[in-house]
């Protein structure tokens, strides 16, 4: 019986750790969130030669998700993309984390926002207006990191 309690705690942690991932996947699609392929080893390289940098190798994008590299994924214009989603005209997703979460179909209740805040690095989330502004900015920064073209007014 103790093992099932441990499992539910692990399941709860997995749920907590995936809220940003759910937001990201709802916006970019699940294919975008797939991990980068493992680097290949060049067995034709002469011993003593510096290894090529995978982030600058032709046709790779490293961890930049759309910044540089010949095979880079295109940036997604976040403002146009989110504005085109059903219901966007009735939600203030530009400044409200609650409305952003509603727009992409993620539960926006206090517990979900608190879990998201913890995932984004904040352990003292209380649900205040200031906390929600911070959380919205962190999510927008995270979306920018994953290939979203996010206007600076959404993150500053």
């Amino acid at each position: 019986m103790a093992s099932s309690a441990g499992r539910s705690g692990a399941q709860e942690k997995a749920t907590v750790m995936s809220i940003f991932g759910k937001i990201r996947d709802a916006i970019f699609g699940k294919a975008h969130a797939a991990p980068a392929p493992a680097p290949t080893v060049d067995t034709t390289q002469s011993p003593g030669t510096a290894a090529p940098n995978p982030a600058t190798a032709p046709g790779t994008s490293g961890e930049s998700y759309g910044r540089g590299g010949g095979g880079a994924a295109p940036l997604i214009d976040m403002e146009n993309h989110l504005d085109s989603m059903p219901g966007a005209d009735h939600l203030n997703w530009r400044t409200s984390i609650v409305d952003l979460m509603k727009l992409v179909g993620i539960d926006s209740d206090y517990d979900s926002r608190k879990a998201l805040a913890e995932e984004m690095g904040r352990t003292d989330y209380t649900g205040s207006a200031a906390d929600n502004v911070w959380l919205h900015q962190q999510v927008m920064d995270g979306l920018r990191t994953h290939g979203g073209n996010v206007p600076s007014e959404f993150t500053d």
Side-chain angles (χ1 to χ4, degrees), residues 20 120 133-143 154-155:
F20 176 77
M120 303 304 277
V133 167
W134 175 87
L135 186 55
H136 185 271
Q137 290 173 342
Q138 294 301 305
V139 168
M140 288 297 182
D141 280 341
L143 293 172
F154 298 162
T155 59

Side-chain angles (χ1 to χ4, degrees), residues 105-118:
I106 306 294
D107 192 359
S108 62
D109 67 358
Y110 171 79
D111 289 334
S112 296
R113 288 181 283 122
K114 181 174 175 62
L116 177 59
E118 288 174 1

Side-chain angles (χ1 to χ4, degrees), residues 66-146:
R67 292 171 180 79
L75 287 175
I76 293 177
D77 182 335
M78 296 302 299
E79 191 167 19
N80 287 334
H81 185 70
L82 291 171
D83 273 342
S84 70
M85 295 180 88
D89 55 335
H90 300 304
L91 295 169
N92 185 19
W93 65 264
R94 286 172 174 79
T95 58
S96 170
I97 188 63
V98 170
D99 284 356
L100 177 63
M101 292 172 80
K102 285 180 182 179
L103 180 62
V104 299
I106 306 294
D107 192 359
S108 62
D109 67 358
Y110 171 79
D111 289 334
S112 296
R113 288 181 283 122
K114 181 174 175 62
L116 177 59
E118 288 174 1
E119 184 179 343
M120 303 304 277
R122 187 167 199 151
T123 58
D124 62 347
Y125 180 86
T126 65
S128 69
D131 285 351
N132 287 332
V133 167
W134 175 87
L135 186 55
H136 185 271
Q137 290 173 342
Q138 294 301 305
V139 168
M140 288 297 182
D141 280 341
L143 293 172
R144 177 183 286 151
T145 300
H146 285 84

Side-chain angles (χ1 to χ4, degrees), residues 17-32:
M17 296 307 291
S18 67
I19 293 174
F20 176 77
K22 288 178 183 178
I23 293 170
R24 182 195 61 220
D25 290 354
I27 294 170
F28 295 114
K30 291 187 182 202
H32 182 81

